[in-house]
Amino acid sequence: MALIGIDLGTSGTKTVLFDENGRVLASHTAEYPLSQPKNGWAEQDPHDWWRAVQETVQAVLAKSGVDPADIRGVGLSGQMHGLVMLDAQGHVMRPAILWCDGRTQGECDEITETLGREKLLAITANPALPGFTAGKILWVRKHEPELWEKCRHILLPKDYIRYKLTGEFATEVSDASGMNLLDVPKRQWSGEVLAALDIDPGLLGRMYESCEVTGAVTSAAAEATGLAPGTIVVGGAGDNAAAAIGTGVVEAGKAFTTLGTSGVIFAHADSVTIDPRGRVHTFCSAVPGKWTVMSCTLAAGLSLQWFRNQFCAAEREAAQAMGTDPYELMTAEARRSPIGANRLLYLPYLMGERSPLLDSDARGAFVGLSAIHTRCDLIRAVMEGVAYSQRQCLDVFREMGVDVSDMAACGGGARSPFWRQMLSDLYGCPVKTIASDQGPALGTAILAGVGAGVYGSVAEGCAAAVRAGARQEPDPEAGARYEPFYQLYRGVYPALRESFHTLAGL
């Protein structure tokens, strides 16, 4: 008996075959390009996604030797917010507009003006943001009217794969939460929002909970992938909601921090909790009848990667000669700098900032730089600045009454015990790793297991398949030493806000 999790990412698709205890039987990743036709735009060809799914599913079946008939279910996870448009024949009409595409600020302003900010937050639980799907729909309608007239189906990225596997036009609540079209408290499409924006509800897929069966693999899809015809496909989840399942964040008090290119804190909530200022997102959880609160900072691991690429040629050369990771050498240097990086602060706003600032004009900065500072101090300041940005988001969660006492860490940055300890000291709670690094793929495989009856509930699936790894305990003394630097960090952006906006206009 086995389960498949397909994780459709921005850089590639990863398909993993698991047994019912969460052990990896086989894994395979296929990459594809991202197109930027204009500055600030980001698009991909959905056909590349489907080719990647075919390649990766075929590969895990070949590597594992598992009989396709023994696969109980397929779960789908994917990059959120993307716009996929199909015509009446189910053909892709244009490249998908992705989550990181920034062309739709004007449309977002139009959505806010049409509905009113308070009403939009009350219904969709989020402000209108350029990353979200509704603004993309309005942009295509305005700028590509001839295409819009022929559009008959609107899908999210992973839901296009569902269509290719099952022939069904469907989605589920966690991913749909990031469209600005879902009534998040009621877990259904908002007739009021759709009417106000003049979007035909018939364009949107049927709504499911994440662990519900949405269809079965067709004979054509079976031939293309190697899966057995009739294999069930469940709703699945958006990438972060799936990662929450894959890290066991399915109960109140539990959360995870991702230090990837971006930084995410994702917490479970038993009831709907909405920040009236829209600084963090509220989405439906992949756990039926539950919700999540999520922050997203745009340049977490990206900040350290930028510093490595621009200023650490020596570390990269030495790491290559030693057969190690340059980040390990950089971390060793950061350890030589004290808490506070010798009175140096770093603002990690290289790409503007989403949570909790909502300011696309914000920019990165070193504050307090002097002739005493070494590369060790700069590296530590970058790591601390990223950690401060996550703590600032967590403070918003706690202000909303969302308890977090059990934190997991994932993503490339979370492989660093030094960075995890920094987070633990700043959060004031333990930070643990998860034994499996499969995150979203494992989470959506667990959802498939629930839909197939392998597990009685999502929590039961997590208990069977998710195991904790290393754990960092908070050091109260270190936390007290970080606190004045963190409070100073919080005050720097407000002091520079107008300068950032002026700079953007020059």
Side-chain angles (χ1 to χ4, degrees):
M1 181 169 60
L3 299 162
I4 279 187
I6 300 173
D7 180 25
L8 177 71
T10 311
S11 59
T13 288
K14 184 177 189 179
T15 295
V16 188
L17 187 63
F18 300 92
D19 69 12
E20 67 271 26
N21 296 312
R23 286 188 287 263
V24 175
L25 303 177
S27 174
H28 191 79
T29 300
E31 297 182 350
Y32 32 71
L34 181 148
S35 172
Q36 294 183 284
K38 294 184 180 180
N39 185 38
W41 291 22
E43 299 183 344
Q44 281 179 329
D45 183 352
H47 298 105
D48 288 341
W49 302 337
W50 176 232
R51 282 190 287 267
V53 168
Q54 293 176 73
E55 175 187 330
T56 55
V57 172
Q58 290 171 4
V60 297
L61 291 173
K63 290 177 182 179
S64 67
V66 169
D67 185 339
D70 291 333
I71 295 173
R72 296 288 300 276
V74 176
L76 303 171
S77 163
Q79 50 169 299
M80 296 179 67
H81 315 305
L83 172 65
V84 181
M85 296 170 53
L86 307 183
D87 62 18
Q89 288 73 45
H91 298 144
V92 173
M93 300 181 65
R94 71 175 321 284
I97 305 177
L98 303 190
W99 63 275
C100 50
D101 187 287
R103 76 183 75 176
T104 63
Q105 185 60 59
E107 287 72 26
C108 291
D109 294 341
E110 179 184 338
I111 292 169
T112 303
E113 184 177 342
T114 300
L115 281 151
R117 181 178 172 85
E118 289 185 7
K119 178 174 286 188
L120 184 66
L121 279 169
I123 297 173
T124 75
N126 296 281
L129 295 175
F132 282 24
T133 319
K136 297 175 173 64
I137 294 172
L138 269 59
W139 186 93
V140 172
R141 187 168 69 191
K142 181 187 299 181
H143 295 278
E144 299 175 348
E146 70 290 346
L147 281 181
W148 177 252
E149 286 298 319
K150 298 175 183 176
C151 179
R152 295 296 178 267
H153 301 283
I154 289 171
L155 296 173
L156 293 163
K158 78 172 194 324
D159 298 327
Y160 173 69
I161 299 304
R162 180 193 327 282
Y163 164 65
K164 295 297 289 183
L165 286 172
T166 68
E168 299 291 339
F169 298 106
T171 190
E172 48 71 44
V173 292
S174 74
D175 211 358
S177 295
M179 295 180 74
N180 275 141
L181 299 175
L182 189 77
D183 186 324
V184 170
K186 295 180 180 178
R187 307 172 83 86
Q188 63 189 29
W189 296 123
S190 170
E192 184 173 0
V193 171
L194 292 170
L197 301 181
D198 193 24
I199 297 173
D200 179 2
L203 296 173
L204 305 174
R206 182 178 175 183
M207 188 67 61
Y208 289 87
E209 289 289 336
S210 298
C211 55
E212 287 185 309
V213 177
T214 60
V217 173
T218 64
S219 57
E223 186 174 344
T225 61
L227 293 168
T231 305
I232 67 159
V233 178
V234 298
D239 49 8
N240 284 297
I245 305 301
T247 52
V249 177
V250 296
E251 298 169 343
K254 292 189 173 184
F256 71 82
T257 298
T258 299
L259 291 181
T261 301
S262 60
V264 168
I265 302 180
F266 198 98
H268 181 91
D270 284 339
S271 58
V272 183
T273 309
I274 299 172
D275 176 35
R277 293 164 61 184
R279 293 168 294 176
V280 297
H281 308 306
T282 297
F283 294 143
C284 296
S285 170
V287 180
K290 305 296 182 181
W291 286 264
T292 62
V293 180
M294 170 187 160
S295 64
C296 181
T297 59
L298 299 180
L302 177 63
S303 286
L304 198 60
Q305 182 188 56
W306 163 78
F307 194 88
R308 180 200 69 180
N309 292 346
Q310 302 303 324
F311 307 111
C312 294
E315 286 82 355
R316 285 185 286 156
E317 290 175 10
Q320 187 172 14
M322 297 165 63
T324 189
D325 189 328
Y327 289 121
E328 291 190 13
L329 301 185
M330 292 169 66
T331 299
E333 290 182 87
R335 287 180 183 275
R336 298 205 292 270
S337 179
I339 287 175
N342 282 315
R343 299 183 180 87
L344 181 64
L345 296 175
Y346 169 74
L347 305 186
Y349 311 139
L350 300 183
M351 305 294 290
E353 191 53 288
R354 187 159 27 165
S355 304
L357 306 183
L358 297 174
D359 187 352
S360 59
D361 289 338
R363 288 295 177 265
F366 284 102
V367 177
L369 195 62
S370 73
I372 70 163
H373 288 119
T374 66
R375 186 157 47 192
C376 300
D377 298 319
L378 270 70
I379 295 170
R380 177 159 193 138
V382 169
M383 299 179 81
E384 287 184 349
V386 171
Y388 294 151
S389 72
Q390 304 313 303
R391 160 70 186 277
Q392 193 172 13
C393 294
L394 186 59
D395 283 353
V396 175
F397 286 26
R398 289 168 170 164
E399 180 185 318
M400 294 166 62
V402 177
D403 172 50
V404 175
S405 55
D406 183 332
M407 181 70 74
C410 50
R415 289 196 287 267
S416 165
F418 178 70
W419 220 349
R420 293 200 309 270
Q421 186 63 54
M422 194 181 289
L423 291 174
S424 179
D425 296 341
L426 278 161
Y427 291 169
C429 73
V431 173
K432 64 186 179 184
T433 60
I434 300 300
S436 170
D437 62 355
Q438 303 299 336
L442 176 58
T444 199
I446 290 171
L447 294 171
V450 177
V454 176
Y455 314 119
S457 66
V458 176
E460 183 183 311
C462 289
V466 180
R467 285 170 287 282
R471 177 183 173 104
Q472 261 72 32
E473 295 290 340
D475 179 343
E477 181 182 344
R481 290 164 62 198
Y482 278 117
E483 196 63 22
F485 292 103
Y486 167 62
Q487 295 302 333
L488 186 59
Y489 165 90
R490 290 185 61 189
V492 173
Y493 163 75
L496 293 177
R497 181 193 293 116
E498 291 308 315
S499 296
F500 288 141
H501 292 172
T502 301
L503 190 63
L506 293 180

